[in-house]
Amino acid sequence: MELRQLEAFAAVMSVGSVTGAARLLSRSQPAITRLVQELEAEIGYALFTRNGPRVTPTEQGFLLYEEAERVLAGLRRIHERAVEIARGEAQPLLLATTSALAVGLLPQALKRVEAQTGATPVQLRTASPEQVVHAVLTGAVQLGASSLPLEHRGLQVHWIAQLACVAVLPQHDPLAAFEKVPLAALAQRRLITMSNPFRLRHRLDAVLAGAGRAPGQHGALIETNSSINAQALVRAGLGVAVLEPLTAHGAPLAGVVVRPIDTDIPFFFGVITPQSRPLTAPVRALADALLEAAAALPGFVQHDVADHATLLQSAHADDATTSPGAMPRKRP
């Protein structure tokens, strides 16, 4: 398997045609076709079904593309870093965060760091919590920020924080008149909610069931993997949402209002780095700045990283009326 074959394959996947891939790579169409066919012959299965000049990826093609794109991105990064070293340039900060933390905390944190040290090159990828953890464990990034759980072996957890979830409502919704929205009222409405059942969604389902919501009640749920998507759906009048507060703080959306809820639904999150990699001064400064940005938000509580398991046990409790103990730490 040669890199030229992977490059040709990835280009065809991205553009959707051999002709377009040839233009993208400044090669002839027969050369691209040959490279893809050689790759297919080597791996033993078809990557595309062909219909004239157009091609359609097979299921195996989609699966292989995920790995090929990751390898090619790594090679591009090696090339860029080699050029930076030749020029004597500093290494960029390589970061991976969930979208909520990227919009809710990272801009303020980077601003704090750059006010102290000057402009720093940054490469940021937003991803699911599982992908953030994977990027940190593999060393693809120097720092990750994500929701709990973060107990994977090989991770260094620097801090854990807690904020209360909020209700996101259409601007003229009757519930917007409440200073704190009753959870029981939210339980009677069509909900726009997160699709991942192993994180915040688990706790949300438990507290809503405790507030009297039956499975399948009031029409089908709208599930999404993005809080920003949820806010847009709320604005369109398709339902109400219970979300972590970071997205609403960092990316407020016209046409919706954000209100506290009369029941505490905790959202836990933290910052992680690879245990196997020495912590550089810029990475440490950013981890501290992210904590400072989180601490400026209403209702912030910091937990000791040793309490990780206890926090998860409390968050996943079936008792919808019980919220986990605060256990705040005094910050120096």
Side-chain angles (χ1 to χ4, degrees), residues 232-323:
L233 293 166
V234 169
R235 181 172 63 179
L238 292 169
V240 299
V242 177
L243 303 175
E244 41 70 27
L246 295 173
T247 301
H249 166 73
L253 194 64
V256 303
V257 295
V258 179
R259 296 286 185 268
I261 304 171
D262 68 353
T263 302
D264 179 34
I265 306 174
F267 172 68
F268 299 108
F269 57 100
V271 161
I272 52 177
T273 59
Q275 273 186 345
S276 58
R277 177 177 293 185
L279 198 64
T280 65
V283 172
R284 184 184 298 277
L286 182 57
D288 293 342
L290 284 164
L291 180 59
E292 292 175 7
L297 298 178
F300 166 85
V301 176
Q302 183 179 352
H303 296 281
D304 192 297
V305 296
D307 295 327
H308 186 288
T310 302
L311 294 172
L312 284 182
Q313 184 177 2
S314 298
H316 291 174
D318 291 331
D319 182 0
T321 63
T322 304
S323 60

Side-chain angles (χ1 to χ4, degrees), residues 11 14 29 53 98 103 114 122 134 145 167 215 224 234 240 254 264 268 309 329:
S14 297
Q29 182 175 333
T98 60
V103 301
E114 294 198 349
V122 175
H134 182 265
T224 177
V234 169
V240 299
D264 179 34
F268 299 108
R329 290 177 59 195

Side-chain angles (χ1 to χ4, degrees), residues 77-165:
R77 178 66 205 126
I78 291 172
H79 179 267
E80 292 167 359
R81 184 59 188 144
V83 173
E84 292 164 355
I85 292 172
R87 295 174 178 172
E89 298 176 358
Q91 182 181 12
L93 284 171
L94 306 178
L95 315 174
T97 76
T98 60
S99 60
L101 289 158
V103 301
L105 293 183
L106 191 59
Q108 299 93 325
L110 284 174
K111 188 174 181 180
R112 291 171 190 264
V113 171
E114 294 198 349
Q116 299 171 358
T117 63
T120 302
V122 175
Q123 292 186 6
L124 168 67
R125 68 172 73 170
T126 57
S128 69
E130 294 78 10
Q131 290 170 329
V132 170
V133 168
H134 182 265
V136 174
L137 286 174
T138 59
V141 299
Q142 299 160 285
L143 179 145
S146 176
S147 59
L148 267 59
L150 297 171
E151 57 186 345
H152 305 68
R153 180 175 297 180
L155 293 181
Q156 175 70 43
V157 182
H158 292 269
W159 51 262
I160 295 173
Q162 173 183 337
L163 293 170
C165 290

